Amino acid sequence: MKKKLNKDQFEVPLFEALLSHARRDVVSFHCPGHKNGRSIDKELKNYTGEGIYKFDVTVFNEVDSLHDPVGAIKKAQYLMAQAYGVKRSLFLVNGTSVGNMAMFLAACEPGDSIIVSRNSHKSVMAGIIMSGVWPIWIQPRIDQKLDLVFNTTYDQIKEALDKYPEAKAVFITSPTYNGIVTELSKIVDLCHKKGKVILIDEAHGAHLHFNRQLPESAVEAGADMCVQSTHKILSALSQCSVLHFNSMLIDFNKVKKIVSMLQTTSPNYLMLATIDLARRQVFLQGKKKFDRVIEAAEWGRSYISKNIALMKCFGRQDIQKLGFDLDVTKLTINITKTGLSGYEIENILTRDYNIQLDYADLFNLIAIMGEGSNKTDVEVFVKALEDISKKYHGKQKNWILKIPSLATEMVMKPREVFLSNSTKRVSIKKAVGHIAAQILTPYPPGIPVLIPGERITKEICDYLMDMSKDIRISGQETEMLKTVKIFTN
Ligand SMILES: Cc1ncc(COP(=O)(O)O)c(C=O)c1O
């Protein structure tokens, strides 16, 4: 473990407060209406048991308030900050999505410009629209040998900062969905040397801080703020995330107010308790647990390379040679040689092998491992892949992972276009030269090619027409992508 064992970290104040409340069988005259689970549907209760519903309470002194914490939640957030070595941590109940929005609103004023890596989650666009900033996009490179989108590099950020010295902040995502971690310390140092705020979406990296075999995390690198989905890799329930604050450049009270503005006033306390418990678990057992997950993932990677000729996985060394690092707990399996798409293999895995993946596209399958993963899961998975590669033979396709040049003019702020009613739909061909009024993101590679406020180029339109033959484009409003929304003045 990277942190010295701290006895405080054995405590789980919020979980304990809820447990003590649940055990007292209090007569409830508070929300929610199910009254300690009494009126929860029987079929559901038969499956889940009754106990968890006693944790579903509302704000009162014993369990504290998420919006104005003075007791158990305050202590639990303090222990979270201590575990990650940051100044403050805030619990989130609408995932990293809400954390990303909050970071934009807290770090920037309307009209500021911010350098943003283009392969960002859709909540980043929401943050840009809500905050009224000018995004300066960095287009990540694509590797057509690995069929992979790289992370943003130090050089790309340096170039952007040199070209746009007025930028107030930099926003990047690390690790990427495939587990690719960029040169965080170098990027953070550069930003701070230039007086810029650095914000990191670390949705997939809440575990990195607790195992030395894993790449550097955003908190270790010294990011001003980062957000982690505690539910993605650690053991908290879905929707649970944490915003870590470690800045000299931003006012924490502003961050707190914004986070409070964006979150429900009825947070689910069962969810909040799992954030508290997940922190204790990863602090005390993260090294051991992730040693095992890493071993299982590496075993799976090596099994695939040795035994499944039509599939391949890149490893940490392959990625390090390219200047990045890899969270090896993520398994990306390239399946292009099978002649099947990742979607087809994903369906076969679900239908015939009872295995569910997090993501698949034309080229790759992504198996996300978490604190609860074990070697047996990986064995079942790779044996299923081996079986599939023997049973199914598709026709070799000539799909190529590509993206047009997105170095186009940002004519209006995304917020202005988003809030405007002066829009209409035109055929893709007729959109050339107009200002985009919608987001369109082909998967793969998951990089938006149209952003509200940007000038639409012929290259982008040709690309959209070509791609829409094979894949569904996120943001398209009809079965086939035939039109795009433009701004009309
Ligand atoms: C990189 C990245 N950022 C943010 C999010 C949103 O996280 P959450 O689901 O916790 O809101 C995701 C979700 O998949 C993601 O992959």
Side-chain angles (χ1 to χ4, degrees), residues 21-22 25-42 44-45 48-58 60 266-270:
H21 174 79
D25 252 334
V26 170
V27 180
S28 161
F29 280 98
H30 61 71
C31 299
H34 60 68
K35 305 295 163 194
N36 297 320
R38 198 186 285 149
S39 73
I40 292 278
D41 185 276
K42 274 211 183 79
L44 176 63
K45 242 186 329 188
T48 60
E50 232 167 295
I52 56 166
Y53 304 107
K54 293 190 176 166
F55 276 56
D56 186 20
V57 295
T58 189
F60 44 76
S266 308
N268 184 305
Y269 278 79
L270 176 63

Side-chain angles (χ1 to χ4, degrees), residues 421-450:
N421 287 326
S422 307
T423 60
K424 69 171 183 189
R425 295 205 149 269
V426 294
S427 70
I428 303 180
K429 267 189 195 155
K430 288 201 175 141
V432 177
H434 286 282
I435 298 168
Q438 74 171 129
I439 308 170
L440 282 177
T441 311
Y443 281 85
I447 298 171
V449 293
L450 282 193

Side-chain angles (χ1 to χ4, degrees), residues 94-98 100 121 123 173 175 177 201 203-204 229 231-232 241:
N94 192 15
T96 293
S97 301
V98 85
N100 281 342
H121 185 257
S123 54
T173 300
Y177 210 72
D201 173 346
H204 291 271
S229 295
H231 67 95
K232 285 195 193 297
S241 286

Side-chain angles (χ1 to χ4, degrees), residues 221-400:
D224 289 274
M225 287 193 277
C226 73
V227 191
Q228 302 170 337
S229 295
T230 323
H231 67 95
K232 285 195 193 297
I233 314 292
L234 305 185
S235 56
L237 291 181
S238 289
Q239 293 184 222
C240 294
S241 286
V242 175
L243 187 152
H244 296 297
F245 173 89
N246 215 9
S247 186
M248 309 266 274
L249 302 169
I250 305 168
D251 174 13
F252 179 69
N253 285 323
K254 183 177 177 194
V255 179
K256 230 170 59 175
K257 270 190 211 140
I258 286 166
V259 167
S260 176
M261 226 167 64
L262 296 177
Q263 299 220 82
T264 172
T265 49
S266 308
N268 184 305
Y269 278 79
L270 176 63
M271 282 164 50
L272 290 172
T274 66
I275 305 182
D276 197 21
L277 292 164
R279 182 266 312 152
R280 177 173 75 176
Q281 200 171 41
V282 73
F283 189 92
L284 298 177
Q285 301 165 37
K287 182 193 173 312
K288 196 168 84 195
K289 287 202 171 192
F290 281 98
D291 276 352
R292 287 199 201 125
V293 176
I294 291 165
E295 197 188 324
E298 293 292 31
W299 177 85
R301 208 173 255 114
S302 132
Y303 188 95
I304 291 168
S305 305
K306 282 189 199 136
N307 300 292
I308 314 180
L310 300 177
M311 298 186 189
K312 60 179 184 195
C313 293
F314 54 77
R316 192 169 192 175
Q317 280 183 348
D318 303 312
I319 297 301
Q320 282 175 335
K321 272 187 220 151
L322 299 166
F324 301 100
D325 204 349
L326 180 68
D327 170 8
V328 292
T329 67
K330 291 221 167 39
L331 274 177
T332 301
I333 300 130
N334 188 291
I335 44 72
T336 45
K337 282 199 181 145
T338 62
L340 301 166
S341 72
Y343 308 116
E344 289 169 300
I345 298 186
E346 182 187 33
N347 287 338
I348 299 169
L349 282 166
T350 308
R351 189 191 63 208
D352 298 346
Y353 298 90
N354 208 20
I355 293 170
Q356 186 58 55
L357 292 179
D358 203 75
Y359 177 84
D361 62 31
L362 292 176
F363 308 91
N364 293 304
L365 308 172
I366 300 183
I368 296 205
M369 300 187 57
E371 206 168 1
S373 297
N374 61 29
K375 186 157 175 210
T376 312
D377 293 346
V378 183
E379 281 168 357
V380 171
F381 176 51
V382 296
K383 292 275 158 65
L385 291 179
E386 191 173 18
D387 209 31
I388 291 170
S389 77
K390 285 179 191 155
K391 277 194 195 153
Y392 296 87
H393 300 282
K395 242 209 219 138
Q396 206 60 48
K397 317 277 193 311
N398 52 359
W399 290 318
I400 298 170

